[in-house]
Amino acid sequence: MALEWLKSRFEEVSASVKNEVARFKTKTFMEAAVAGCVMVAHADGTVRAEEKQKMMGFIRSSDALKVFDTDEVVAAFNKFASNYEFDVQIGEATVLQTIAKLKGNEAEARLMVRVCCVIGAADGTFDDAEKQAVRRICHELGLNPTEFDL
């Protein structure tokens, strides 16, 4: 029952996010959203090859990110992911710096956080490490995490 509710809620939120993302079709928003996705993917400290493939598959098929050129999204994902692979602190700093570009634009910042929540729940769970990553994103943007049930 709980899994069915989560799946239904995920589909509902995902469709809503797609419509909103279309309004903010800018490179800055896309890069911030992808940076947030990478941060959530790396939340548990280890990203296995299967997880990368799943995340890349999600980015390619995500209704929320389909409004952007797939090659640009994949290139941005690879750039941020490679920074994490080189050094976690450098990766995190780069991601947060990119995300911070949305600070002050409340509508875009809130939507980007919602995209990250959708990414976190894409596998049917939204674990504590993923929620903590999204909380950090909220703090970087000056948003209250409780607004997103975090």
Side-chain angles (χ1 to χ4, degrees):
M1 184 72 172
L3 184 60
E4 192 61 37
W5 177 85
L6 181 62
K7 182 180 177 190
S8 170
R9 182 75 178 126
F10 171 78
E11 289 169 3
E12 176 186 317
V13 171
S14 195
S16 170
V17 167
K18 175 188 176 185
N19 293 333
E20 291 181 56
V21 168
R23 295 184 339 190
F24 300 116
K25 190 176 176 180
T26 67
K27 185 173 182 175
T28 301
F29 178 82
M30 182 273 294
E31 286 182 343
V34 172
C37 292
V38 171
M39 187 169 181
V40 171
H42 282 81
D44 66 359
T46 305
V47 178
R48 293 178 297 283
E50 303 83 34
E51 291 175 306
K52 289 181 197 175
Q53 291 167 0
K54 183 175 183 178
M55 182 61 75
M56 292 302 292
F58 180 80
I59 286 173
R60 286 187 178 112
S61 66
S62 167
D63 285 341
L65 296 175
K66 274 186 182 176
V67 299
F68 299 106
D69 178 78
T70 303
D71 291 337
E72 284 185 58
V73 173
V74 170
F77 179 88
N78 287 333
K79 176 182 82 172
F80 293 119
S82 68
N83 284 335
Y84 264 94
E85 290 165 13
F86 178 75
D87 182 88
V88 173
Q89 290 177 330
I90 290 172
E92 195 165 285
T94 303
V95 161
L96 290 173
Q97 186 177 39
T98 302
I99 289 167
K101 292 176 183 176
L102 295 183
K103 191 170 187 171
N105 187 329
E106 203 166 306
E108 285 189 30
R110 288 179 192 285
L111 180 57
M112 196 277 294
V113 170
R114 290 180 58 214
V115 168
C116 291
C117 290
V118 167
I119 295 289
D123 63 356
T125 63
F126 193 20
D127 66 39
D128 289 337
E130 292 166 332
K131 288 179 181 179
Q132 182 59 35
V134 179
R135 280 186 207 101
R136 290 199 62 210
I137 291 168
C138 287
H139 291 298
E140 186 67 33
L141 294 169
L143 300 174
N144 185 342
T146 60
E147 294 178 40
F148 305 94
D149 295 326
L150 298 171

